[in-house]
Amino acid sequence: MANDPVCGMQVDEARACAAERGARVVADAYTCAMCPDVRADRPGGCPSCGMALAAPLATTPAHREYVCPMHPEIVRPDPGTCPICGMALELRVIEAEPTEDPELGAMRLRLRMTTALTVPLVALAMTDMLPGASMHRVLGPHLFAWAQFALATPVVLWGGAPFFTRGWQSVVRRRANMFTLIALGTGAAYAHSVVATLAPQIFPVAFREHDGAVPLYFEAAAVITVLVLLGQVLELRARSRTSDAIRALLGLTPPTARLVTGDGDRDVAVADVHVDDRVRVRPGERIPVDGVLEDGASTVDESMLTGEPMPVAKHVGERVTGGTVNGAGSFVVRAERVGNATVLAQIVRMVGEAQRSRAPIQRLADRVASVFVPVVIVAAAATFVGWALLGPPPALAHALVSAVAVLIIACPCALGLATPMSIMVATGRGAHAGVLVKNATALETLRAVDTLVVDKTGTLTEGRPAVTAIRAVDDVDEAVLLRLAASVEQRSEHPIAAAVLTAAKARGLTLDVVHDFESHTGMGVVGDVGGRRIALGNRALMRAEGGDVTTFVDDAARRAAEGQTVLFVAADHEVLGILAVADPVKASAPEALQRLRAEGLRTVMLTGDTRATAESVARRLGIDDVVAEVLPEEKRAVIQRLQAEGRTVAMAGDGINDAPALAQADVGIAMATGTDVAIESAGITLLRGDLGGVVRARRLSRATLRNIRQNLFFAFVYNALGVPLAAGVLYPLLGWALNPMLAAAAMSLSSVSVITNALRLRRVRL
């Protein structure tokens, strides 16, 4: 046993218990975002870069936390209701396997039981409308009232108990909400009917009908309770569907892994796989962890991350991601990230956090909701007074019915749910399209962006050098020239050497052994290959080696002007040809930029690279504004200058040097192929690492804001029309007043309609 480094609890030494986070953390799970090879069994600073080490949460929490969908600041360790709005709390961290919501189960039971009692109650009350079949006459007024009382009391007092409890809590906490109105309306109708049953003689003439009887509203109170219960069931079911996107992502991780041990392979739970364990992945299986191929080769379907349908070839030394699907081959992976440190788990975490964030547009609904219930209560009181003074006989009976209808039809929850439901569904939809939204503010702001600042390396270009051209003298084959160059570059660690070696590997060339290797800083490399002195480098190296570059000087100058690096290849002091190396433009960049320009966005390239290279890339992509040769700290200043001009700026980048600019921009957009520092500084992350994701993100932003506005419109118009109708504004013209039971049905459906509209975002095309 040992003390856990996070909470100090006595735990098994092989595992650490991060109790304050409610999760088990595997020993040595404290990792550095920038240095994936750095691991520790306790928090602290990274010995390489100094960043704070992070302990990721396990995929299955040791205990659950519950949060309010309307008020994410309300977090409780157990299920219950929100002290502000009275809504049922829901799981803060979605689990892979859907579990029965205790609130939904309780509401279903109450709905079934109350419906069974309300149907005969309504049938009994409605017999008054059938000539010659009135149970009022058959049973007599006294017994008729007691029969309704017997049926309605369990419906209202037991079935409606959650609403009365929440309504009373709202009064005690001085947080009036929807349940305050429901409790007042239903309680008034039921209490009036009980008193009319027990002591009808105390009611004045203004409460009595033409035959002298005091009207009863048992059936109205019961039907209102049943309809509100139905609305709660429909709302809870609809709310559970907003988490389907996260649940689908969680389901991508297989439950077991085939662990490679000295005694053979054996199947274990994924939770039992540790860093540096070796896992075998068979054909057609999902990869259980993030890691590096140590043995074998295959193709991997990474569409769940990139959206690209074409499988990607994977060989020894290349990384694979948990949740992706292996093709026809078999291979062994050494685990680098497990549990909640995997890319898939981080995606789920980011989507979950985004779903609980609040968009700026929510402030409008919050302001209205803060005064909504008091205004409705005042409106109900005014309605009662108006009907009592001006209504037809029995005036007080009409006044009570109309006041109850006003209380019941108003629904502040429709206003409160309008924004968070859309955000929850949109962030899940974005995750499936490769667009990770870190917070709702970024999603809302993106649609208003008019200027996109783009980093060059790694954003517009691939971010790694590649051989773009090979030119040899007439009597030398290009493959021979590349083989000689790659053979001598085997001993070099320069990025250009990696580009040459990658080109040779792509052509399947067999390299020769190099002897007497020499590296000349700023010039190139020299070595003995097959008994010949091979030199690869710039013109200065060729001069030192006595090679004549005249044949290629014009071609080299042209390529250099385009931002390419030109390498001369010489054998025994004779120049055989040139290799051109450059950072190639991403295949998706031209089309993405064209679409963004078509939407009216101004595009600015911001790079620390040379002006010649930057302008060369800009010409190929049709970018007019180029800011080159800037230091990392100067990038932020460029963003500030554009903002000072009144522009709404989005910054897309992938490097550590882009982090200050990403944080400064109105919306920071990071490439998932870049550094973790850039991702943490951005509000949106593009999993595919290309600008096509910006187009998809803007479409998602526009669709989300449109959906939120529709929800707010429904909620505002519903209440703006519903409350006056319930108050009886049409009675003087049409002689029509809204029945409280119809008001209850409308109120119950209002929240459901908002959630249903939000769920439409799951089908939006990006």
Side-chain angles (χ1 to χ4, degrees), residues 173-234:
R173 293 167 177 155
R174 299 181 181 179
R175 293 276 194 173
N177 53 48
M178 177 184 76
F179 297 102
T180 313
L181 303 179
I182 294 173
L184 282 173
T186 309
Y190 176 77
H192 164 85
S193 302
V194 170
V195 174
T197 301
L198 298 176
Q201 69 277 3
I202 70 172
F203 286 89
V205 175
F207 263 111
R208 299 177 181 274
E209 296 180 331
H210 61 279
D211 59 355
V214 179
L216 303 176
Y217 302 109
F218 282 123
E219 85 282 359
V223 171
I224 289 171
T225 301
V226 169
L227 289 174
V228 174
L229 285 169
L230 175 62
Q232 288 292 294
V233 169
L234 294 176

Side-chain angles (χ1 to χ4, degrees), residues 68 204 235 239 277 282 320 344 352 402 448 510 514 595 674 703 742 746:
C68 174
E235 178 184 320
R239 279 166 53 185
D277 282 349
R282 291 166 292 192
V320 292
L344 183 59
S402 297
T510 302
V514 58
R595 289 184 180 181
L742 293 178

Side-chain angles (χ1 to χ4, degrees), residues 402-689:
S402 297
V404 168
V406 170
L407 291 171
I408 294 299
I409 199 169
C411 187
C413 275
L415 282 172
L417 290 171
T419 299
M421 290 297 105
S422 296
I423 294 297
M424 288 185 71
V425 179
T427 50
R429 176 67 184 94
H432 277 281
V435 177
L436 292 186
V437 180
K438 190 173 182 180
N439 57 67
T441 300
L443 185 62
E444 179 179 340
T445 306
L446 186 59
R447 60 172 293 280
V449 166
D450 55 28
T451 302
L452 176 64
V453 178
V454 187
D455 175 53
K456 180 183 74 67
T457 306
T459 304
L460 294 173
T461 65
E462 295 290 350
R464 54 183 181 272
V467 174
T468 55
I470 303 174
R471 183 185 170 195
V473 294
D474 294 338
D475 58 344
V476 176
D477 187 75
E478 288 185 357
V480 173
L481 185 72
L482 180 58
R483 179 176 59 81
L484 293 173
S487 296
V488 75
E489 287 281 30
Q490 291 179 93
R491 300 276 295 276
S492 175
E493 297 180 356
H494 196 280
I496 289 180
V500 175
L501 290 170
T502 300
K505 182 180 179 180
R507 294 197 179 199
L509 301 179
T510 302
L511 306 185
D512 298 320
V513 178
V514 58
H515 300 284
D516 300 328
F517 175 80
E518 301 173 10
S519 177
H520 299 273
T521 304
M523 298 171 63
V525 295
V526 178
D528 187 292
V529 178
R532 304 172 71 186
R533 182 177 175 81
I534 305 300
L536 177 69
N538 57 21
R539 294 176 66 177
L541 181 64
M542 293 301 105
R543 283 196 298 270
E545 290 291 313
D548 183 6
V549 300
T550 303
T551 304
F552 303 99
V553 67
D554 292 338
D555 191 6
R558 178 179 59 81
R559 294 184 185 279
E562 295 175 354
Q564 301 181 56
T565 299
V566 178
L567 305 174
F568 294 90
V569 184
D572 293 332
H573 315 295
E574 179 185 354
V575 177
L576 302 181
I578 60 172
L579 303 180
V581 177
D583 187 4
V585 171
K586 289 184 177 180
S588 60
E591 181 182 359
L593 288 171
Q594 184 177 358
R595 289 184 180 181
L596 293 170
R597 282 193 293 269
E599 294 181 3
L601 259 71
R602 173 189 176 189
T603 307
V604 180
M605 179 193 291
L606 183 62
T607 179
D609 211 339
T610 63
R611 177 161 294 279
T613 301
E615 290 182 345
S616 172
V617 173
R619 282 194 299 271
R620 277 180 279 169
L621 295 175
I623 299 176
D624 296 326
D625 295 340
V626 178
V627 183
E629 300 177 354
V630 291
L631 298 174
E633 58 269 21
E634 295 174 336
K635 289 188 174 184
R636 183 185 180 202
V638 173
I639 302 295
Q640 291 174 325
R641 176 170 55 80
L642 291 170
Q643 290 172 329
E645 294 174 2
R647 295 188 171 274
T648 304
V649 182
M651 167 71 185
D654 73 328
I656 295 176
N657 60 339
D658 297 321
L662 290 170
Q664 176 63 41
D666 296 286
V667 180
I669 304 173
M671 305 294 156
T673 51
T675 65
D676 289 349
V677 175
I679 293 172
E680 287 299 319
S681 301
I684 292 177
T685 301
L686 306 180
L687 287 179
R688 302 185 195 177

